[in-house]
Amino acid sequence: MADSCFASRLEKHIALTEDERVALARLEENPRKVKRGAVIQRANEAVKELFVLREGRAMSFVILPDGSRQILRIFFPGDFIGSASTVYARSPESLVALSDAVVCPFDKHALRILLQEHPRVAALMFVISQTERVALTDRLASLGRTSAKARVAAFLLDIVARLRVMDDDVKDSFDLKLTQEEIGDAVGLTSVHVNRMIRQLETEGLIARQNGTITLLDEKRLEHIGHFTNRYRDLDLDWLPAA
């Protein structure tokens, strides 16, 4: 069986054929190691490569007119990163490694062959892009309409929900691997405010922290506080093309 982190991600939804796995593995033939903080792609640069994240974590972000940073997405192994650049000649966002990572760059035009020969893979990529879009819409709504506590709660729940997609062993505890500044840049808060909200969630018995690990002690209450809906489950995939 071809080794493809991206294929493993897609197979969380439906089983792939061997031909589909081989085609996806071709996208990961040239892995590249990057250090934490390394720029993978800069906003407004010409787009020649797209990427699959094989190891580590990465993020996409934009710089706002006042010089502040808005983090758009946190990426985990198996994610197709830079997907927004598929429809633009220049990247609409910057991509940076959040940890030491391995990315697999591939020529943008390789997608043409993949999508022509494997329409079911194309449909699955569309499914994932839509779940990401809806999750981002949820966060956009929360930035203007919910409290700081709700934003932090929803963000933590979103992280653990995405980790569970790829790793069945993730239950209530997970390694956050994000600074409070990075969380703040994702949910529109200062690092000081994020620290205060995390301590409040801890004091109220909703989460526990130890050496960078977050444990969810009362997920139902967190979902209520954060107005959170898990956008990565309960998907309707009956319309997907047959293998």
Side-chain angles (χ1 to χ4, degrees), residues 156-189:
L156 295 176
L157 290 167
D158 184 76
I159 292 293
V160 74
R162 294 186 62 207
L163 288 171
R164 286 169 177 165
V165 169
M166 283 298 287
D167 189 348
D168 293 334
D169 291 332
V170 175
K171 304 301 181 186
D172 299 324
S173 297
F174 61 99
D175 191 348
L176 187 57
K177 293 184 180 177
L178 291 168
T179 67
Q180 291 177 355
E181 180 182 5
E182 288 162 348
I183 297 172
D185 286 349
V187 299
L189 299 171

Side-chain angles (χ1 to χ4, degrees), residues 87-121:
V87 296
Y88 295 103
R90 296 189 176 276
S91 176
E93 59 193 13
S94 293
L95 303 173
V96 169
L98 279 170
S99 68
D100 289 351
V102 176
V103 298
C104 298
F106 60 92
D107 187 275
K108 182 176 180 177
H109 295 92
L111 278 181
R112 179 189 302 152
I113 297 173
L114 177 68
L115 303 185
Q116 284 176 341
E117 297 183 353
H118 302 284
R120 201 167 63 128
V121 169

Side-chain angles (χ1 to χ4, degrees), residues 24-69:
L24 289 166
R26 292 195 189 104
L27 303 181
E28 301 176 45
E29 288 178 335
N30 299 297
R32 178 190 301 166
K33 292 182 178 181
V34 293
K35 293 291 188 181
R36 172 177 168 82
V39 176
I40 300 167
Q41 187 177 74
R42 294 185 189 277
N44 299 316
E45 281 186 345
V47 177
K48 296 181 180 179
E49 293 179 326
L50 303 172
F51 308 88
V52 172
L53 182 61
R54 178 175 281 273
E55 296 177 16
R57 296 188 186 179
M59 68 174 175
S60 62
F61 69 90
V62 294
I63 300 298
L64 303 178
D66 64 358
S68 62
R69 178 179 65 178

Side-chain angles (χ1 to χ4, degrees), residues 175-233:
D175 191 348
L176 187 57
K177 293 184 180 177
L178 291 168
T179 67
Q180 291 177 355
E181 180 182 5
E182 288 162 348
I183 297 172
D185 286 349
V187 299
L189 299 171
T190 65
S191 58
V192 173
H193 211 164
V194 170
N195 180 268
R196 189 180 304 131
M197 292 303 101
I198 289 179
R199 283 192 284 110
Q200 185 173 340
L201 293 174
E202 194 172 20
T203 300
E204 293 176 7
L206 298 169
I207 66 171
R209 291 184 292 170
Q210 185 175 14
N211 299 325
T213 297
I214 299 287
T215 300
L216 308 182
L217 301 177
D218 193 335
E219 195 164 340
K220 289 297 183 184
R221 273 188 67 200
L222 283 169
E223 289 176 353
H224 177 73
I225 290 168
H227 313 286
F228 178 76
T229 300
N230 188 338
R231 300 300 187 181
Y232 312 104
R233 66 185 181 198

Side-chain angles (χ1 to χ4, degrees), residues 121-131 239:
V121 169
L124 278 171
M125 292 172 68
F126 174 74
V127 166
I128 290 176
S129 71
Q130 290 305 297
T131 61
W239 54 272

